[in-house]
Amino acid sequence: MKGVKHMKWWGWGVEGVSFHHEDKPRLAPFVRDKVGIDITTPAASAPLRFEDLDIPEPQLPDALGDRLTRAVGAGNVTTDPMERLVHTYGKSVRDLVRIRRGQLGRMPDVVVYPSSTEETAAVVDAVVQADAVLIPFGGGSNIAGSLEAPAGETRTVVSVDLGRMRKVLQIDEESGLALIEAGAQGPDLEEQLNKRGWTIGHFPDSFSHSTLGGWIATRSSGMQSDRYGDIADITRGLTMAMPPAPGQEKGEVLTLRPLPSTSTGPSVREMVLGSEGRLGVITEAWVNVKRVAEERVVLGYFFPDFATGLAALHEINTSDASTLVARISDERETQFSLATSKRSKGLSKYVTKALMAYLVRKGWDLDKLSMSFIGYEGSKSHVALQQRLVREIVGKHGGIVVGKGPGVLYDQKKFDTPYIRDFLLDRGATADVSETAAPWSRLKPLYDNVIATAEKAFADIGCQGYIMCHLSHNYHSGACLYFTFAIAYEGEDVLARYDVVKRAIQGEFIRSGGTLSHHHGVGVEHSPWLEDDVSPAGAKMIGRLFDGTDPGRNLNPGKVVHTGEPGVSILSE
């Protein structure tokens, strides 16, 4: 569709942009040692060519096609094979492995591009009246299986892409609110807001290729949530096209005003947050926005070990300090980050060597070094005060300030990590992430348990693997731990090996007192264990909400609430 941006069908990001190792001399030895593959060799595998894919013919009844065309216009309804392919999956490991092999599953039959709430509502009505399936599509970045049609689905599958709906419609400057169309991708909405001196401040890893509607539908969290809050905090009101009730021709349009707080029964806003398209299609939202800050600084810090750094960040969080972002990597991720650094030249080369020599003289074990990034935003005086407060706490815990250099690199690379996954897939390894949140009192035991469980899983499948972690979001009572793992694979068993490790990690989250997902949503990847997270009664409550709103299961069926084989539970394994 002209004017609508999509990622490449077989991987992350856009064509022509990829990860390279040649300017990172320490990376190849690191990966060879930790994962057991040689990334200096040419790609061992690659996606099939589009021309070699077996794309099935679309199943679009004439009556439904005509009604969709009347709703959005002839040029905005397409059964083009490439369009359907792009809208088939998200970007999870499972999605990428299958699509690169040509295992396309149940593809959408048609892609529809509405341009307004009214057009979207007309599409929802048409799909439900035809007893078809509707799957909302934003940027396609989801990694929890939230965009996949059920494998055995025999009804027509309609992908509704909101890419034409990307405008900032209104800014209430006195209230600090903006009304934004749900199809606006991160860079688009920030550019529009920045021109008027505002920012939403929401920067997830997927920022470059994800949308406001997708953030709301999956309860997203951004890197700067310490200051701006998660998307659940940022979203104050919204509009959503809902399905018709049985026997009705038209569905209702839900409109929630942007109120700061209410006490009017269970929160309808909270029901929509994280609903992943099961209740309707979000078309626009009122969100909190703040003035672009006078100053923004991200500094790097070193701690002698991860436990010490965790204690320091906990104290920072409970102190008078106010941070934009406060994260710390364990020694494993610190070593990886240092291995991905480009070759040092000139003065910086000697400064780095001198710093490491200084730490050795202090008695630090460099193999346990933990790197932290802490950011500040606001007026110059506010930023200076926060830096002083944090510096005192860091020093109290034996840490040191490294300076702005690492912070600049963090800002430059913060949206590039997903490209590494494609690079590794081409060379015989798969990498993925699992994130959780837990109370401060359980955070370090949970971390220790997950590392041990993952390493046992590596041994169980007879595979060399690596797992690393960082703390990424801070709250009053706890924090988010974000794990990344990689394993080598051979031949066709990649997903079998991957499932063993992924299941082990997710199971340990529950056993150690954490949640299954902090900000990636549920989809189908996490749904089998929803009861373990929210209790059987909670899962039933969610299911009844979905069934009551969409009894025909026309809207993104199979997501959030598990509909597969019964009795599959992490706790009962």
Side-chain angles (χ1 to χ4, degrees):
M1 173 60 61
K2 185 177 181 181
V4 177
K5 295 179 291 186
H6 292 129
M7 286 190 277
K8 54 198 176 194
W9 63 267
W10 53 268
W12 186 264
V14 297
E15 294 283 357
V17 179
S18 60
F19 178 80
H20 299 282
H21 73 90
E22 289 81 5
D23 57 348
K24 305 169 185 67
R26 286 178 286 179
L27 182 59
F30 180 89
V31 175
R32 187 181 299 111
D33 177 52
K34 305 300 183 184
V35 186
I37 64 170
D38 185 359
I39 64 173
T40 65
T41 60
S45 63
L48 294 175
R49 298 183 309 160
F50 174 71
E51 295 79 8
D52 296 331
L53 297 176
D54 183 15
I55 296 179
E57 291 296 315
Q59 303 173 29
L60 179 62
D62 291 341
L64 177 56
D66 291 343
R67 190 166 176 183
L68 294 175
T69 298
R70 289 197 301 272
V72 301
N76 301 308
V77 178
T78 179
T79 57
D80 176 78
M82 178 61 81
E83 288 270 0
R84 294 169 56 217
L85 180 65
V86 167
H87 291 80
T88 296
Y89 293 130
K91 299 298 181 185
S92 71
V93 165
R94 194 179 315 281
D95 295 335
L96 294 182
V97 168
R98 289 181 297 173
I99 203 166
R100 289 158 67 103
R101 291 175 174 174
Q103 298 171 353
L104 305 182
R106 181 62 174 93
M107 294 181 67
D109 297 294
V110 59
V111 182
V112 182
Y113 291 89
S115 65
S116 66
T117 296
E118 293 72 23
E119 289 188 1
T120 304
V123 170
V124 173
D125 293 343
V127 170
V128 175
Q129 288 296 321
D131 192 24
V133 168
L134 182 153
I135 301 178
F137 189 95
S141 63
N142 183 267
I143 63 170
S146 300
L147 298 174
E148 179 180 351
E153 184 59 69
T154 59
R155 296 174 292 181
T156 299
V157 177
V158 181
S159 177
V160 178
D161 191 313
L162 301 184
R164 295 173 66 205
M165 301 173 62
R166 53 182 182 270
K167 299 184 184 70
V168 174
L169 299 173
Q170 184 180 342
I171 297 180
D172 178 346
E173 298 198 357
E174 185 174 359
S175 305
L177 292 164
L179 178 62
I180 305 175
E181 291 181 309
Q185 295 190 8
D188 292 333
L189 66 85
E190 272 297 304
E191 180 181 6
Q192 294 175 67
L193 290 171
N194 291 170
K195 286 180 179 178
R196 298 173 64 175
W198 297 89
T199 178
I200 192 174
H202 188 73
F203 296 98
D205 287 353
S206 62
F207 172 79
S208 300
H209 304 286
S210 56
T211 64
L212 174 61
W215 299 341
I216 296 170
T218 56
R219 296 188 72 100
S220 169
S221 187
M223 299 179 190
Q224 300 180 166
S225 65
D226 288 8
R227 169 169 164 77
Y228 290 92
D230 297 328
I231 199 65
D233 306 304
I234 294 170
T235 303
R236 304 318 310 158
L238 55 84
T239 302
M240 182 174 72
M242 299 178 65
Q248 300 294 314
E249 290 292 326
K250 290 187 176 182
E252 295 182 291
V253 174
L254 172 68
T255 303
L256 298 179
R257 295 169 295 152
L259 301 172
S261 185
T262 67
S263 179
T264 50
S267 172
V268 177
R269 182 182 65 91
E270 284 284 339
M271 293 179 194
V272 176
L273 286 159
S275 57
E276 300 190 20
R278 294 295 308 270
L279 299 176
V281 181
I282 301 165
T283 59
E284 57 189 38
W286 282 97
V287 296
N288 288 337
V289 290
K290 297 180 183 292
R291 284 291 185 185
V292 174
E294 177 185 5
E295 183 161 315
R296 180 181 185 278
V297 177
V298 179
L299 298 180
Y301 300 81
F302 281 163
F303 290 95
D305 55 63
F306 188 49
T308 301
L310 284 179
L313 262 65
H314 185 198
E315 183 169 343
I316 290 169
N317 189 64
T318 57
S319 73
D320 292 333
S322 174
T323 60
L324 173 70
V325 56
R327 61 182 284 170
I328 182 168
S329 297
D330 67 356
E331 67 274 13
R332 298 159 176 264
E333 188 170 280
T334 298
Q335 292 170 14
F336 171 76
S337 296
L338 295 175
T340 60
S341 299
K342 294 184 179 180
R343 189 186 308 274
S344 298
K345 297 180 181 180
L347 181 61
S348 64
K349 175 180 179 180
Y350 297 103
V351 170
T352 301
K353 286 186 175 181
L355 174 60
M356 295 304 174
Y358 167 73
L359 296 178
V360 170
R361 289 196 299 273
K362 282 174 61 72
W364 286 26
D365 181 349
L366 296 186
D367 289 336
K368 296 182 179 180
L369 182 70
S370 284
M371 181 165 55
S372 173
F373 295 105
I374 302 178
Y376 314 89
E377 188 176 87
S379 66
K380 290 186 177 181
S381 60
H382 173 81
V383 168
L385 173 61
Q386 305 314 311
Q387 288 185 57
R388 287 198 298 272
L389 293 173
V390 169
R391 184 168 62 244
E392 291 176 2
I393 296 172
V394 169
K396 174 183 172 182
H397 288 268
I400 65 169
V401 183
V402 183
K404 294 183 179 180
V408 171
L409 291 176
Y410 164 76
D411 267 345
Q412 290 174 347
K413 299 193 300 181
K414 61 187 177 185
F415 301 134
D416 295 342
T417 303
Y419 286 102
I420 301 178
R421 183 179 54 176
D422 294 346
F423 176 84
L424 291 175
L425 270 178
D426 287 342
R427 288 159 179 81
T430 184
D432 197 17
V433 297
S434 286
E435 24 69 62
T436 187
W440 287 107
S441 60
R442 298 181 180 178
L443 216 58
K444 185 57 166 59
L446 183 150
Y447 166 81
D448 291 336
N449 292 343
V450 170
I451 295 295
T453 296
E455 291 185 333
K456 180 180 183 301
F458 297 152
D460 288 345
I461 60 176
C463 179
Q464 189 170 357
Y466 192 70
I467 184 168
M468 56 190 182
C469 176
H470 65 262
L471 180 153
S472 58
H473 304 77
N474 298 273
Y475 303 93
H476 168 77
S477 61
C480 167
L481 289 180
Y482 192 105
F483 293 85
T484 302
F485 63 92
I487 56 173
Y489 67 86
E490 297 176 3
E492 297 295 308
D493 68 346
V494 53
L495 290 182
R497 291 187 173 194
Y498 164 81
D499 280 338
V500 171
V501 178
K502 180 76 171 179
R503 179 181 291 269
I505 292 171
Q506 298 294 140
E508 194 56 58
F509 287 167
I510 292 294
R511 287 187 288 270
S512 295
T515 180
L516 280 170
S517 176
H518 170 262
H519 58 259
H520 286 145
V522 182
V524 296
E525 293 286 342
H526 300 141
S527 65
W529 312 293
L530 182 68
E531 290 187 1
D532 297 322
D533 203 323
V534 303
S535 84
K540 288 177 183 176
M541 185 182 296
I542 295 172
R544 288 166 184 157
L545 172 64
F546 292 163
D547 290 343
T549 302
D550 178 32
R553 301 195 175 187
N554 301 104
L555 303 187
N556 210 13
K559 310 311 185 299
V560 184
V561 177
H562 187 51
T563 57
E565 290 295 323
V568 179
S569 168
I570 284 177
L571 296 183
S572 63
E573 287 178 346

